[in-house]
Amino acid sequence: MAQEAPLLRVDECTVSFGGLRVLRAVSLDVAEGEVLGVIGPNGAGKTTLFNTICGFVRPDSGALSFDGRRLDPRPHQLTRLGIARTLQGLGLFPNLTALDNVAAGATHRSRTGPIGALLASPWAERHELKLRDQALGMLGSLGIGDVAHRHCASLPYGVRKRVALARALISEPRLLLLDEPAAGLSAAEITELADIVRGLRQRTTVMLVEHHMEFVMNLCDRLVVLDFGEVIAAGTPAVVREDPAVQRAYLGEAVAADA
Ligand SMILES: Nc1ncnc2c1ncn2[C@@H]1O[C@H](COP(=O)(O)OP(=O)(O)OP(=O)(O)O)[C@@H](O)[C@H]1O
C-alpha cells in the first residue's frame, strides 16, 4: 500500500551563519494530524529549524515540502500556505484588545481592501463582523472569552499566551508551529495547555519546540531530538527517553523527567 505523503518534509537541510553550521543535513517528516515535538539542549538549532520552515532563514542546501509540494516560503506567505506560528516573544500588540489581536491574525481572509474600508460598504462591514465573531469564538474555545475586550498589556502572561495561540489558530492553519508554548507557565497552566493542544489535533497538525520534558513526553506522538544541529534521535517519547545518545546530549538535564 502506498504510504501517505507527510504534511511537512524537511529534507537534508543545512543552515550556516557565517562559519557556524547550525543545522546539519536535518531531515524529518511531520504526518498530518500528529503532534511532533522537537527537543534538544540550548543552542541545538531548534529555533533555526522553525525559522527555516517559515522562510526567515534560507537553507544552504536541502529542501522543504508541504503537502507534497516544494515549500520555498516568504514569511508573509505562510498564512496563505496554511502554516501558522506562535513566537517565544508572543508578538501581540499590547494596546489592542485580545479580540483585535486575534482578528489581526485573519487579515489575509479579509476581503475588504482599502477601497472597501473607505467606502464602508455593508458587505465589507458584514465580513468584518463575521471575522470578529470568529475571533470571539476562538477566544471562547480556548477558555478566555471573558478577556476579549481587555487590552493585552493588562493580561497575565499565561492568558496572553492563549491570545497568541488564538491568533495563530484563527487563520485555520493546517500546520501550527508552537515555539516553547509551555515556557513561563505555571504547572496548572501547563496541564491545561496540554489538554488544549490535544484538542487541537482534530483540526490541525502541531509541531512544537519545547524544553519542558514532562510536557513533551506526555503530549507528543513523536519526538525529534537535535544536538549541535544534527538529528540524533527520533521516535515515540518512550523510545527517545531511553536512547543513550539523547541521555548523553542531556547529561545533567532531566530528559527522563518523571513523565
Ligand atoms: N541569526 C543568527 N546569527 C548567528 N548565529 C545564530 C543566529 N541564530 C542562531 N544562531 C546560533 O545558532 C545556534 C542555534 O541557535 P538556535 O536558537 O536555533 O538554538 P535552539 O536550539 O533554539 O536554542 P534554545 O533552546 O536556547 O532556544 C546557536 O549557537 C546560536 O547562537
Side-chain angles (χ1 to χ4, degrees), residues 232-247:
I232 59 163
T236 63
V239 165
V240 161
R241 189 170 36 211
E242 299 305 323
D243 191 306
V246 177
Q247 293 182 353

Side-chain angles (χ1 to χ4, degrees), residues 17 20 22 40-49 88 180 209 211:
F17 296 118
L20 183 66
V22 174
N42 290 114
K46 304 179 295 295
T47 300
T48 303
L49 175 62
Q88 278 179 38
E180 299 201 19
V209 161
H211 280 288

Side-chain angles (χ1 to χ4, degrees), residues 15-97:
V15 170
S16 310
F17 296 118
L20 183 66
R21 191 159 286 191
V22 174
L23 294 183
R24 297 163 184 266
V26 167
S27 293
L28 60 88
D29 284 351
V30 187
E32 184 124 48
E34 77 172 333
V35 179
L36 179 86
V38 179
I39 62 171
N42 290 114
K46 304 179 295 295
T47 300
T48 303
L49 175 62
F50 263 22
N51 286 340
T52 308
I53 294 167
C54 293
F56 291 107
V57 167
R58 321 285 295 169
D60 308 337
S61 58
L64 299 157
S65 63
F66 184 67
D67 200 18
R69 269 178 251 157
R70 190 180 167 84
L71 177 69
D72 186 14
R74 301 287 180 269
H76 67 276
Q77 298 170 331
L78 278 180
T79 318
R80 197 161 39 76
L81 287 170
I83 301 175
R85 175 185 185 173
T86 64
L87 302 165
Q88 278 179 38
L90 303 190
L92 296 172
F93 301 106
N95 296 322
L96 292 187
T97 63

Side-chain angles (χ1 to χ4, degrees), residues 50-259:
F50 263 22
N51 286 340
T52 308
I53 294 167
C54 293
F56 291 107
V57 167
R58 321 285 295 169
D60 308 337
S61 58
L64 299 157
S65 63
F66 184 67
D67 200 18
R69 269 178 251 157
R70 190 180 167 84
L71 177 69
D72 186 14
R74 301 287 180 269
H76 67 276
Q77 298 170 331
L78 278 180
T79 318
R80 197 161 39 76
L81 287 170
I83 301 175
R85 175 185 185 173
T86 64
L87 302 165
Q88 278 179 38
L90 303 190
L92 296 172
F93 301 106
N95 296 322
L96 292 187
T97 63
L99 182 64
D100 285 337
N101 267 284
V102 176
T107 44
H108 72 292
R109 289 196 350 239
S110 170
R111 287 180 222 120
T112 306
I115 295 177
L118 275 175
L119 296 177
S121 70
W123 183 86
E125 268 183 33
R126 264 202 310 280
H127 188 69
E128 293 308 311
L129 278 176
K130 193 167 156 219
L131 275 186
R132 290 177 71 79
D133 263 3
Q134 283 170 345
L136 198 54
M138 190 58 73
L139 286 167
S141 75
L142 297 183
I144 51 168
D146 56 329
V147 305
H149 300 291
R150 286 186 45 194
H151 288 124
C152 277
S154 71
L155 299 173
Y157 184 69
V159 177
R160 275 187 277 144
K161 279 203 114 162
R162 285 197 200 190
V163 175
L165 180 57
R167 185 179 56 184
L169 285 169
I170 195 79
S171 67
E172 298 176 351
R174 289 185 67 193
L175 176 65
L176 176 65
L177 303 171
L178 302 176
D179 204 346
E180 299 201 19
L185 299 184
S186 68
E189 287 171 331
I190 289 173
T191 305
E192 285 172 14
L193 176 67
D195 285 342
I196 288 173
V197 176
R198 277 189 202 100
L200 293 180
R201 59 192 318 157
Q202 310 296 329
R203 45 179 151 151
T204 186
T205 300
V206 178
M207 180 176 182
L208 57 91
V209 161
E210 186 52 69
H211 280 288
H212 195 290
M213 281 302 155
E214 198 179 334
F215 178 75
V216 288
M217 292 285 169
N218 287 328
L219 172 66
C220 296
D221 300 309
R222 277 192 318 122
L223 297 176
V224 169
V225 190
L226 286 181
D227 191 26
F228 292 110
E230 263 179 291
V231 175
I232 59 163
T236 63
V239 165
V240 161
R241 189 170 36 211
E242 299 305 323
D243 191 306
V246 177
Q247 293 182 353
R248 269 196 305 280
Y250 273 99
L251 212 61
E253 295 185 37
V255 67
D258 14 321

